């Protein structure tokens, strides 16, 4: 983090025509942007929402309320501008890109074998790193992939232990039987790979999915390119959790965009030390919660950049 | 509320390309908009932030960290586009109006006499009702006025009882001595008017201030004109609390934009049955928290209006 940029932000912040600290987390967000962009004032001129789409062999175990055909259909819906995330990006002026991570080649069923071999996992991370090469000053990462809340739950169970029931949620809306199938799938995956879950990167390649690997790559690349990152919900946070398990500081440039309604997200965010910006009971994915949070951050940056100082506006400062 | 419009929203909502309920409170917000606008789909095409500015005699008791001169200076800052709320409105595309409520004629010091006579209070409410005559489809109400967190605390103490310390906060940032002066002022005001605080409208005229009266008028006028309202923080909520004390249903068309860092706001919102949309530790006023919330509501309306249906996008619906 660029401490000089943070100091410059604080210096300006004290001169703006408002009581010190009165914008709460908005002020903190500007310091965070400056710290990781390495400049003051920071900018949110080219915010970008990237959605990574993956396909999961574990859907064979009946873990989702939707068929895997939806992956390809939703990609077309994104391209046609018909999904929720398209409307959020349009209403807030955010760039939007979708990445197809070999949707027609699902990962292996993790209850039976490893999702990807290590080579494929690394290649997918590299693909995710390339994804942001077009340039942005604030990156929101999200995902789409039928079955991927099961994969995220397996990753959390591997990283943090505890019963599968704690980590499994209703996803897109499975019924009680579907929920039990998800729990069983997570238990089977953990049992199957138990001997190989000590290394976070091996956990990633064994449990998947491709979108989680790509998001992990994108988070790392953003750090190197001085781009702060806004995490979406339960599945996107799994990519951050893998990196955090390697070393906690690897995700210092990330904020949690929102608290997902997928139950265990609160526990995960607490373990990562992240306080979500929004808590609206959303559980859609597609980067939707992160994108709404980018709207807040954009306003925070505009406030910091464009407000008048006490001197400029001729406003009296506080009484001595 | 227009139940037919709500039903029409729900019918469309079920056909949009996302799992049912997956947008959480965003979906509820669209129903709320439809209920009070009386149309489906509801719109957020002309959102408007109205800031009401008042001047308070109780500042003679040393209740604020800033001098009352700031009222006029901030009005000029709003007009010049230099305040925080200007930047929020610009970044989110919101209309913005400021109303000067006789800033050069402060209300009386409420520790000594009534803030306004009843005639003046009613005239100020009527002024607030006129304020929104220019037309809007979503109104955010906020305020500015040195000393007005003391007035709001007095109103809450009058409506809900309990010790003054519970209702008094740090406002724009008073020190411990200033805090004690605020508590003493609220205690003195309650003691002075004790016999006359059973009627909410008399409470309003006795404790003030003009911006609270004008906001109460604006909230009522919005209801009559089918305009949903987003409340800002601690002081704006006092206007809603007066109306709520007259009859709880009078503020059903209002949502709480955010939870203010002014401590007792949480208690007030709980009494009003309002769950805030944002909780970012803000305590600036100026409608800033409400305006950010309007950004969310604008996105929610855009999602509902513009998303593709399952049929339009050729996306498979959930498994039977």
């Amino acid at each position: 983090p660029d401490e000089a940029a943070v100091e410059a932000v604080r210096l300006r912040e004290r001169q703006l025509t408002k009581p010190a600290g009165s914008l709460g987390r908005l002020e903190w967000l500007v310091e965070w942007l400056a710290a990781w962009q390495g400049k003051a004032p920071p900018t949110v001129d080219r915010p970008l929402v990237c959605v990574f789409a993956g396909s999961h062999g574990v859907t064979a175990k009946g873990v989702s309320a939707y068929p895997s055909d939806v992956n390809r259909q939703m990609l077309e819906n994104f391209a046609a501008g018909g999904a929720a995330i398209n409307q959020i990006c349009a209403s807030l002026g955010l760039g939007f890109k979708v990445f197809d991570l070999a949707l027609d080649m699902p990962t292996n069923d993790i209850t039976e074998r490893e999702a990807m071999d290590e080579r494929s996992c690394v290649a997918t991370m590299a693909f995710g790193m390339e994804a942001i090469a077009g340039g942005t000053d604030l990156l929101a990462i999200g995902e789409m992939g039928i079955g991927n809340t099961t994969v995220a739950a397996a990753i959390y169970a591997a990283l943090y232990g505890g019963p599968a029931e704690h980590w499994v949620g209703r996803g897109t809306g499975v019924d009680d039987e579907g929920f039990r199938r998800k729990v069983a799938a997570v238990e089977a995956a953990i049992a199957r790979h138990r001997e190989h879950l000590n290394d976070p990167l091996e956990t990633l390649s064994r449990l998947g999915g491709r979108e989680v690997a790509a998001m992990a790559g994108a988070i790392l690349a953003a750090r190197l390119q001085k781009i702060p990152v806004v995490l979406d919900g339960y599945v996107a946070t799994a990519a951050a959790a893998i990196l955090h398990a390697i070393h906690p500081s690897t995700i210092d440039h990330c904020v949690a965009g929102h608290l997902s309604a997928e139950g265990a997200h609160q526990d995960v965010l607490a373990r990562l030390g992240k306080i979500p910006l929004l808590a609206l009971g959303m559980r859609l994915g597609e980067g939707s919660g992160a994108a709404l949070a980018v709207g807040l951050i954009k306003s925070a940056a505009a406030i910091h950049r464009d407000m008048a100082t006490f001197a400029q506006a001729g406003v009296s400062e506080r009484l001595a």
Side-chain angles (χ1 to χ4, degrees), chain A:
Chain A
D2 186 327
E3 292 299 340
V6 172
E7 259 323 304
V9 162
R10 286 186 185 144
L11 185 66
R12 176 166 167 75
E13 199 65 30
R14 284 194 290 272
Q15 301 171 44
L16 300 177
T17 47
K18 59 184 174 56
S22 61
L23 287 177
R25 288 199 79 192
L26 297 191
E27 296 181 20
W28 178 87
L29 283 167
V30 179
E31 292 180 18
W32 166 79
L33 283 174
W36 297 103
Q37 289 182 348
K39 66 183 179 188
T43 60
V44 185
D45 293 337
R46 289 202 296 163
L48 179 65
V49 177
C50 284
V51 170
F52 298 89
S55 180
H56 302 270
V58 72
T59 52
K61 293 295 188 288
V63 293
S64 179
Y66 286 80
S68 285
D69 298 344
V70 165
N71 290 332
R72 176 68 55 199
Q73 295 162 351
M74 279 303 295
L75 228 66
E76 284 162 21
N77 198 21
F78 292 140
I85 186 62
N86 298 101
Q87 318 323 320
I88 297 173
C89 290
S91 75
L92 295 170
L94 316 180
F96 177 56
K97 286 186 186 174
V98 182
F99 298 93
D100 174 348
L101 300 164
L103 274 188
D104 297 327
M105 194 172 71
T107 52
N108 296 316
D109 179 348
I110 58 173
T111 66
E112 295 175 0
R113 57 185 67 83
E114 59 183 13
M116 300 167 268
D117 60 32
E118 284 195 16
R119 191 167 176 163
S120 171
C121 183
V122 169
T124 306
M125 288 181 71
F127 180 86
M129 297 185 81
E130 291 294 328
I132 58 170
T136 171
D137 49 10
L138 181 60
L139 176 67
I141 63 163
E143 45 56 48
M144 196 276 307
I146 299 301
N148 68 11
T149 58
T150 300
V151 165
I155 289 173
Y156 297 130
L159 294 176
Y160 306 131
E165 290 89 346
H166 175 67
W167 301 109
V168 170
R170 297 277 168 164
T172 51
V174 288
D175 58 16
D176 290 350
E177 268 186 61
F179 181 82
R180 283 191 288 272
R181 286 192 298 267
K182 284 183 79 167
V183 169
V186 169
E187 285 171 344
I190 296 295
R192 172 68 185 75
H193 302 284
R194 188 181 308 278
E195 309 296 316
H196 311 277
L197 299 176
N198 291 319
D199 172 38
L201 280 180
E202 191 169 359
T203 299
L204 176 61
S205 64
R206 285 185 168 263
L207 299 178
R210 290 192 217 285
E211 70 274 54
V212 179
M215 289 189 286
I219 292 169
L220 288 177
R223 174 69 155 259
L224 298 171
Q225 294 172 41
K226 297 181 181 287
I227 303 166
V229 172
V230 184
L231 302 170
D232 196 38
Y234 197 62
V235 180
T237 306
I242 292 284
L243 298 176
H244 181 267
I246 295 170
H247 196 281
S249 74
T250 52
I251 61 165
D252 283 349
H253 64 304
C254 302
V255 293
H258 80 129
L259 174 65
S260 167
E262 193 79 350
H265 196 220
Q266 189 147 31
D267 182 359
V268 175
L269 291 180
R271 287 167 190 268
L272 301 182
K274 303 291 183 193
I275 300 167
L277 288 168
L278 295 167
L280 296 167
M282 296 168 66
R283 52 177 173 78
L284 175 60
E286 301 182 1
S288 52
L292 289 174
V294 169
L296 294 178
I297 300 169
K298 202 176 160 187
S299 291
I303 289 168
H304 181 76
R305 185 190 60 206
D306 295 332
M307 270 185 78
T309 63
F310 284 105
Q312 285 170 338
V315 172
S316 306
E317 298 199 44
R318 49 184 294 137
L319 300 163

